[in-house]
């Protein structure tokens, strides 16, 4: 990492670091680990199953950071804006976009399964379908899931509970309330805001440590998945899996690609820029470990911190394009397999119900099956026990679901930033193209640090000497300078506001 001067630019004489060779980059080792994991699970299933603790330990270590990072990012973004109305409008715009995107994704799934009708000819008898214990629990949870529960579930029963349980939706609620309150405190809350920014830097530093173990985590998760469920699951229902993957790819290229074209950006350069996160998702079968990296890279690409902090975490609960495609495909497949005829009107009603039930299981283990069962139970015409027809292949579709969800949230954040007229399109284009771009800290510090004589007037020698002793010199620099500016707020309020920046910007 280059030395950052008080002006926020690399020190004189320091050249930009050379690009890391491909065989030294994280995505290469994660991809290699995935291939090795597949081979181990296929050739030695018992050994692959034994690798489960490696994968789960890595995923849990990443989930450990998601709650604090989401909380600190949202609080820091909301508390540092001057106009809270803009934050509210950003939230409303995001929710509007999420609903439109979800509808389009479900329509894609409905059209695909109506064209190819893979369930015809299965002739499954719903009354004779046997459910496993794990599937029975999910069916029971779905049957008792009400469409309105996600609204009441947003408010937690305690402050610590959501962080312990990893409930992102409740963490978002707490963070928004805390951020608004901190913003309303004004200058009194400035030290707390500074602490939030510093803690954010600490969390991303810990994230960097954990990411070094990503190849191990991907290997363990993939070896377990293939060893546990076997390749036979892929071949037995390969048609449905292939249809889901093709439909998802078309949705990314056609729908999300069109949104990116509207923004005058390229969907493929963005995907290439996020390749490390995609490899992580592919290896762990979940998008959650990639959330912190996505937030960091989008901010580096020119999206404002408050927009990233609000839209990305919220999208992980409300903007699930991959899950929407999966739900529509699965529901119609079960209907066709059990010889349940649905008219176009009934299919549109099914879509309307799924818009609500899909939100009810956001962030819950087995959420896809819970949402699917809740939908089938609400409609009443499709037997809920039919989910056993696709239970065995769900694991092999989870990677694609997570990738589409992740891509949809990245595009949504860029679109909302453009809608707010805060997106630096030129910077985003250059970052996605792989060009060397000035660190964000430099652009956030448009005003250079003032000389000591201007920050601390000569009439206050005691304050000046205290500042020199604490900063190690006449001109405060780096994080120590930020602390000094808050302690000397009465004498240098302007300098304090100019020197405040997210502590983790230099490490992007």
């Amino acid at each position: 990492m280059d030395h950052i001067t008080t002006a926020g630019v690399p020190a004189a004489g320091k050249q930009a670091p050379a690009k890391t060779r491909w065989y030294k980059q994280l995505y290469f080792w994660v991809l290699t680990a995935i291939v090795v994991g597949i081979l181990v699970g296929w050739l030695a299933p018992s050994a692959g199953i034994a690798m489960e603790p490696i994968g789960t330990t890595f995923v849990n270590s990443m989930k450990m950071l998601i709650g604090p990072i989401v909380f600190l990012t949202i609080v820091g973004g909301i508390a540092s804006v001057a106009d809270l109305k803009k934050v509210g409008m950003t939230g409303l715009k995001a929710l509007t976009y999420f609903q439109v995107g979800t509808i389009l994704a479900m329509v894609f799934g409905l059209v695909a399964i109506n064209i190819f009708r893979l369930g015809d000819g299965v002739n499954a008898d719903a009354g004779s379908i046997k459910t496993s214990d794990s599937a029975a629990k999910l069916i029971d949870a779905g049957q008792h899931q009400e469409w309105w529960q996600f609204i009441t579930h947003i408010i937690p029963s305690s402050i610590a509970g959501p962080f312990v349980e990893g409930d992102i939706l409740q963490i978002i609620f707490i963070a928004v309330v805390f951020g608004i309150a901190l913003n309303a405190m004004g200058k009194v809350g400035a030290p707390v805001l500074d602490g939030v920014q510093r803690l954010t830097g600490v969390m991303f530093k810990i994230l960097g440590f954990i990411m070094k173990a990503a190849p191990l985590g991907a290997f363990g998760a993939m070896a377990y998945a293939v060893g546990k469920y076997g390749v036979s699951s892929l071949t037995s229902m390969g048609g449905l899996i292939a249809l889901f993957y093709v439909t998802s790819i078309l949705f990314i290229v056609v729908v999300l690609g069109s949104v990116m074209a509207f923004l005058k950006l390229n969907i493929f350069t963005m995907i290439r820029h996020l390749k490390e996160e995609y490899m992580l998702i592919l290896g762990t079968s979940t998008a959650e470990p990639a959330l912190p990296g996505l937030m960091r890279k989008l901010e580096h690409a020119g999206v404002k911190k408050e927009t990233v902090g609000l839209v990305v975490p919220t999208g992980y609960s409300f903007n699930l394009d991959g899950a929407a495609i999966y739900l529509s495909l699965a529901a119609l497949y079960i209907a066709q397999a059990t010889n349940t005829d649905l008219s176009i009107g009934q299919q549109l009603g099914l879509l309307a119900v799924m818009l609500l039930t899909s939100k009810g299981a956001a962030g819950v283990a087995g959420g896809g099956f819970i949402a699917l069962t809740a939908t089938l139970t609400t409609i009443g015409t499709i037997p809920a026990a039919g989910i056993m027809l696709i239970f065995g292949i769900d694991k092999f579709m989870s990677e694609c679901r997570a990738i589409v969800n992740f891509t949809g949230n990245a595009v949504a954040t860029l679109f909302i930033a453009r809608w707010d007229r805060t997106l630096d399109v030129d910077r985003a284009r250059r970052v996605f193209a792989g060009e060397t771009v000035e660190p964000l800290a430099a652009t956030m510090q448009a005003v250079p640090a003032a000389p000591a004589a201007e920050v601390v007037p000569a009439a206050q020698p005691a304050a000046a000497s205290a500042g020199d002793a604490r900063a190690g010199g006449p001109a405060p620099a780096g994080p120590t300078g930020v602390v000094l500016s808050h302690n000397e707020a009465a004498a240098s309020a302007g300098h304090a506001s100019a020197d405040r920046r997210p502590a983790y910007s230099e490490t992007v």
Side-chain angles (χ1 to χ4, degrees), residues 113-448:
I113 196 65
N114 273 293
I115 291 176
F116 293 97
R117 301 191 65 83
L118 297 178
D120 289 350
V122 176
N123 299 321
D125 182 7
S128 62
I129 297 177
K130 295 182 179 180
T131 58
S132 62
D133 292 338
S134 56
K137 292 178 181 178
L138 295 175
I139 292 174
D140 182 68
Q143 289 175 339
H144 293 87
Q145 179 82 33
E146 300 291 344
W147 66 267
W148 45 263
Q149 285 182 346
F150 82 95
I151 299 177
T152 58
H153 179 72
I154 291 176
I155 302 176
S157 57
S158 68
I159 293 291
F163 293 93
V164 175
E165 299 169 4
D167 195 316
I168 298 298
L169 207 55
Q170 293 183 347
I171 292 174
I172 292 172
F173 175 81
I174 296 173
V176 169
V177 174
F178 191 93
I180 292 174
L182 186 57
N183 186 291
M185 293 291 290
K187 292 182 179 180
V188 177
V192 178
L193 175 59
D194 184 70
V196 166
Q197 293 173 335
R198 291 175 183 276
L199 283 174
T200 306
V202 173
M203 288 297 138
F204 275 103
K205 180 63 71 175
I206 297 174
L207 172 68
F209 296 153
I210 296 177
M211 282 298 294
K212 296 182 185 298
L216 267 179
F219 164 75
M222 188 57 67
Y224 169 76
V226 178
K228 176 73 174 178
Y229 299 100
V231 182
S232 58
S233 299
L234 289 171
T235 56
S236 62
M237 296 193 68
L240 182 59
I241 297 174
L243 180 62
F244 176 59
Y245 272 75
V246 171
T247 305
S248 299
I249 292 172
L250 286 175
F251 178 80
I252 290 175
V253 174
V254 176
V255 177
L256 300 183
S258 298
V259 175
M260 291 290 284
F262 172 77
L263 301 178
K264 298 181 180 179
L265 296 171
N266 190 304
I267 185 79
F268 299 107
T269 58
M270 184 199 74
I271 291 174
R272 185 172 66 242
H273 178 65
L274 298 171
K275 56 183 177 292
E276 287 87 358
E277 284 69 29
Y278 281 112
M279 292 300 104
L280 190 61
I281 294 171
L282 189 62
T284 60
S285 302
T286 176
E288 288 182 344
L291 183 147
L294 175 63
M295 296 173 70
R296 183 177 58 187
K297 287 188 175 181
L298 286 177
E299 186 177 341
H300 179 58
V303 183
K304 294 186 70 174
K305 178 184 176 183
E306 54 266 29
T307 303
V308 172
L310 186 63
V311 177
V312 173
T314 307
Y316 266 62
S317 294
F318 289 95
N319 188 37
L320 306 175
D321 295 333
I325 296 173
Y326 166 80
L327 285 175
S328 56
L329 274 178
L332 264 293
Y333 176 82
I334 293 171
Q336 294 169 3
T338 55
N339 298 317
T340 305
D341 294 327
L342 295 178
S343 65
I344 297 297
Q346 288 175 312
Q347 292 186 30
L348 293 178
L350 184 70
L351 186 149
V353 173
M354 284 190 290
L355 278 175
L356 298 173
T357 55
S358 62
K359 306 298 187 295
V364 179
F369 273 107
I370 293 175
L372 179 58
T373 306
T375 302
L376 300 184
T377 303
T378 302
I379 295 296
T381 55
I382 306 174
I387 70 168
M388 282 304 300
L389 298 173
I390 60 172
F391 189 75
I393 62 171
D394 179 72
K395 180 65 179 176
F396 295 101
M397 294 195 284
S398 59
E399 290 91 350
C400 186
R401 270 202 311 265
I403 287 174
V404 178
N405 292 342
F406 178 84
T407 308
N409 283 322
V411 174
T413 306
L414 293 167
F415 182 85
I416 299 303
R418 174 67 181 273
W419 196 350
D420 281 341
R421 299 182 180 179
T422 59
L423 176 64
D424 189 340
V425 177
D426 180 65
R427 180 185 177 91
R429 188 181 298 114
R430 289 187 291 126
V431 169
F432 292 161
E435 298 180 18
T436 302
V437 181
E438 188 180 64
L440 194 61
T443 60
M444 295 183 69
Q445 278 191 306
V447 182

